[in-house]
Amino acid sequence: MQKIDRYEPIVGKSKIDELRMLAGYLKGKVIQHINSTAVGGGVAEILSKILPLMQELGVNTQWDIIKGSPDFFDVTKSIHNALHGKDTLITKEMWKTFNDISSQNIREMNLYGDIMFIHDPQPIALVKRKSGMRKSKWIWRCHVDVSAPDRKVWDFLSNFIDQYDAAIFSSAHFSHKMKPKQVLISPSIDPFSDKNREVTQDEIDAVLNKYKIDPRQKPIVCQISRYDALKDPVGVIEAYKMVKKYVDCQLVLVGNRAADDPETDKIYGQVLEAAGGDPDIHALLVEDIPYEINVLQRVSDVIVQKSIREGFALTVSEALWKAKPVVASAVGGIPLQIKHKYGGLLCHSIEGAAFAIKQLLNAPEYARKLGENGKEHIRQNFLLTRHIREYMLLFLSLYSDSGVVTL
Ligand code: UDP
């Protein structure tokens, strides 16, 4: 049995047959994905799941990573923040660092794809090699919320974006005027990955012991995200404190390190300070062990994603797939995943988050129903098979003058 066959009972046979057919049309093409980190964050998460399936379907799909120095990742994190609309100073020297490291990657990287699939701003300048790779098609995949970017930074990136053949965004709100054709493709989760599969009682016990969490004591409110100001972990603590006045509960904050995110320690320090030694706050800085995230999501009573900006928020799909009631900010790709009061609760402030968490903790039957509806929504819209289908259709459209795929 192939891996892809396992998805049939979840999404239906016709969907899997279609994937096989589309893959057949891509025989002989090499797809080269490039991003800036192999672990940590949503991009690495998705690529690690898409690659094996595409390869199994017979599409030659590869993944390479650019080289970067700590200085370079400081700059790209500032670019990331500026794209999210945060007031950020990027000095001349910082731009020079970006250009120097980009030039080094442009010179040294082995670029060989028929379709070059570049993720996010860090490797964006590689498109300068396009003219030397005749017939290659270039896709820029934007995973960040660019609904209200800093104008200067966006204009700088536009010089590169305009050289691509297509640009992919996760929400229609992120669209801008640009030369390449724009495509809306949402990310996805893999129901069979260690992060989403069923877990055993032994696995649950091991994780709870390791992190000294007892779910029988008090209901668990949990947010799982890199320690990043835009994920607002301190806001989650404030919301928890408001809830705690009415419902006794414990808060679990979980974050790992992404190789391309230099801000972890600073934000984690702020979180510990805000937690102020409260024994019911578990602020965990964890290694990248997917099944542990899975367990922590499953033992939670309410899952929060109180982001200030968000490209998509895979964590929301992951939580809903486990039929958990979710409280999440109405930003970026989150409203695509949550229909308010049907498949979760959307919020717009710390107070709003606190109100929604309290409501769910007080009404378990309502919370259960929201979780169930949310899971069905994810099944229909945000699983890996849909994502792969849309990528393959886009690849094929790049070889059609009209942009329409005729099979
Ligand atoms: N994640 C993880 N461990 C952590 C925190 C996050 O494995 O401690 C995972 C999370 O489960 C999700 C991904 O990292 O799969 C984060 O993707 P998302 O789109 O939510 O946010 P990003 O970090 O890309 O902004």
Side-chain angles (χ1 to χ4, degrees), residues 282-294:
H282 306 264
L284 312 175
L285 184 55
V286 298
E287 301 294 311
D288 196 42
I289 309 177
Y291 97 90
E292 292 191 353
I293 299 297
N294 189 344

Side-chain angles (χ1 to χ4, degrees), residues 121-353:
Q122 299 93 330
I124 197 169
L126 289 174
V127 73
K128 283 191 174 167
R129 287 270 296 271
K130 186 180 180 191
S131 55
M133 294 171 67
R134 282 186 45 242
K135 292 198 180 157
S136 61
K137 307 283 185 192
W138 288 67
I139 298 171
W140 185 58
R141 205 305 177 215
C142 178
H143 293 270
V144 296
D145 179 341
V146 287
S147 51
D150 176 284
R151 209 61 242 175
K152 262 204 236 135
V153 171
W154 181 255
D155 288 347
F156 174 82
L157 294 180
S158 289
N159 294 324
F160 299 111
I161 297 170
D162 281 343
Q163 298 174 51
Y164 282 80
D165 298 293
I168 308 176
F169 298 94
S170 299
S171 160
H173 295 294
F174 304 163
S175 151
H176 288 262
K177 215 168 161 200
M178 60 180 65
K179 282 194 191 146
K181 77 167 170 185
Q182 299 184 58
V183 188
L184 170 61
I185 300 180
S186 300
S188 63
I189 59 162
D190 180 0
F192 295 109
S193 69
D194 273 346
K195 193 160 292 167
N196 296 308
R197 65 169 168 81
E198 298 294 325
V199 293
T200 64
Q201 191 57 46
D202 283 351
E203 287 175 320
I204 296 176
D205 294 343
V207 174
L208 293 176
N209 276 337
K210 176 171 173 183
Y211 295 113
K212 302 191 174 35
I213 296 169
D214 183 356
R216 288 161 312 183
Q217 289 259 320
K218 297 169 187 183
I220 294 177
V221 177
C222 172
Q223 173 163 299
I224 290 173
S225 271
R226 290 177 294 105
Y227 288 102
D228 178 330
L230 292 171
K231 306 286 185 186
D232 201 13
V234 172
V236 178
I237 293 178
E238 285 176 36
Y240 151 85
K241 285 180 180 164
M242 290 177 194
V243 173
K244 183 97 169 164
K245 288 185 197 151
Y246 303 94
V247 190
D248 197 12
C249 57
Q250 49 187 329
L251 176 66
V252 178
L253 290 173
V254 188
N256 60 0
R257 279 175 200 282
D260 60 351
D261 183 351
E263 290 185 320
T264 308
D265 291 316
K266 183 176 106 194
I267 307 298
Y268 186 57
Q270 291 172 5
V271 163
L272 293 181
E273 199 184 324
D278 179 340
D280 281 336
I281 299 181
H282 306 264
L284 312 175
L285 184 55
V286 298
E287 301 294 311
D288 196 42
I289 309 177
Y291 97 90
E292 292 191 353
I293 299 297
N294 189 344
V295 167
L296 291 166
Q297 285 165 333
R298 285 179 194 275
V299 298
S300 297
D301 294 276
V302 174
I303 294 186
V304 181
Q305 190 60 55
K306 190 29 231 64
S307 303
I308 290 165
R309 291 297 178 114
E310 192 60 77
F312 180 70
L314 284 176
T315 46
V316 169
S317 284
E318 289 163 4
L320 290 174
W321 181 247
K322 290 154 193 126
K324 291 292 163 181
V326 176
V327 173
S329 305
V331 296
I334 290 176
L336 296 175
Q337 301 178 67
I338 293 183
K339 207 163 162 210
H340 185 51
K341 294 189 179 173
Y342 179 77
L345 296 178
L346 294 174
C347 63
H348 300 84
S349 63
I350 292 171
E351 290 75 11

